[in-house]
Amino acid sequence: MTQYGFIGTGSMGSMLIRKIIGTGLVAPGAISASSKSGISARALAGTTGITAEPSNRSVAGNADVLFICVKPLEVRGVLDEVRDVLKHGALLISIAGCVSLENLKDWAGDNRHCVRIIPSVTAEENAGISLVAWGHGVTPGDKKLVLGLLNAISTAVEIDEPDFDLYTDLTSCGPALIVAMMREFASAASRTGTIPPGLAEFLVKETMAGTARIIEGEGATFDTVIQRVATKGGSTEEGVKVLQARLPDVMDEVLLALDAKRRVVAEKVAEG
């Protein structure tokens, strides 16, 4: 039976474990995990039935498929720690941004199969996108396994690594960015009127949830939804005009800020 290991059981690592078990594709007994203090791994073991190991090395030494779910600046230290106990031909899957496939190859060793994935918090609801970039030594069997797991909890999209960052902005960063915009929409209603903040947030949340279902409909696009609501000459059209005039510069600035932060982190990763 294929053995799965997870180093790091923070928000994303624990979510992946819970969702993968929930698919029925991997039994809890086939998963072991470790965390920095051990507390989160033991807590997760208590609720899921996985095995909490006392060290990263004990997880890595047993894993045919090893998920690295730690922060970008911690990846190299983890791989330095476990490199000598990794199985020959082990499939190494990193969820860390700013850590390249070349980094993984250099730090893990030539006999490892390396993959980068960027899942999204939306996988909690069996929705959204999980990005995948294939690296060193990956086999057709590896691809089948990874795509099978990711497509069971989301929609897997295979991309070339040079495009990873911008795709990540749209998928993994997207939920926070979209909700931040909707929060400001609700706040504006409270500032300019008498709607209590809590009620304004509730109204916007429910509207956003309903709009998401509409946009999933056959043939629906951003433009068709806008056209349905913003009728010619109506008040909604005036609001859309304001957004169309001002949001392009704001969104360009958002993407530039994300890119600038990634460059700083990538430089620190390269420095070791």
Side-chain angles (χ1 to χ4, degrees), residues 163-188:
D163 300 323
F164 224 58
D165 290 345
L166 191 54
Y167 278 72
T168 299
D169 294 343
L170 296 176
T171 59
S172 183
C173 302
L177 300 177
I178 292 168
V179 169
M181 288 189 287
M182 293 300 97
R183 181 183 62 189
E184 295 309 314
F185 185 26
S187 296

Side-chain angles (χ1 to χ4, degrees), residues 179-212:
V179 169
M181 288 189 287
M182 293 300 97
R183 181 183 62 189
E184 295 309 314
F185 185 26
S187 296
S190 294
R191 288 195 304 271
T192 60
T194 59
I195 301 177
L199 177 57
E201 180 174 323
F202 170 76
L203 296 174
V204 171
K205 283 168 57 179
E206 290 299 304
T207 301
M208 183 167 60
T211 304

Side-chain angles (χ1 to χ4, degrees), residues 12 49 94 109 115 117 131 140 210 221 230 262:
M12 196 59 71
S94 169
V115 180
I117 68 170
L131 302 175
T221 67
R262 269 195 300 264

Side-chain angles (χ1 to χ4, degrees), residues 73-147:
L73 295 179
E74 298 174 354
V75 174
R76 184 170 190 172
V78 165
L79 289 177
D80 284 345
E81 177 188 359
V82 306
R83 178 172 177 159
D84 65 315
V85 298
L86 287 173
K87 290 184 178 181
H88 182 87
L91 176 58
L92 181 66
I93 303 173
S94 169
I95 72 168
C98 304
V99 176
S100 69
L101 289 167
E102 188 65 24
N103 291 149
L104 296 174
K105 175 179 176 294
D106 290 344
W107 301 339
D110 285 341
N111 62 342
R112 323 299 178 202
H113 304 175
C114 300
V115 180
R116 286 185 68 187
I117 68 170
I118 299 291
S120 171
V121 67
T122 53
E124 283 276 16
E125 300 298 325
N126 295 325
I129 300 296
S130 294
L131 302 175
V132 188
W134 308 112
H136 176 72
V138 172
T139 68
D142 294 333
K143 291 185 178 183
K144 182 179 179 181
L145 182 149
V146 172
L147 292 176

Side-chain angles (χ1 to χ4, degrees), residues 4 9 25 34 56 65-66 77 106 108 121 125 129-130 132 154 163 166 174 176 192 199 224 226 255-256 265:
Y4 295 80
T9 53
L25 296 174
S34 60
N56 295 337
V65 180
L66 180 64
D106 290 344
V121 67
E125 300 298 325
I129 300 296
S130 294
V132 188
S154 60
D163 300 323
L166 191 54
T192 60
L199 177 57
T224 60
I226 291 171
L255 294 182
L256 288 172
V265 176

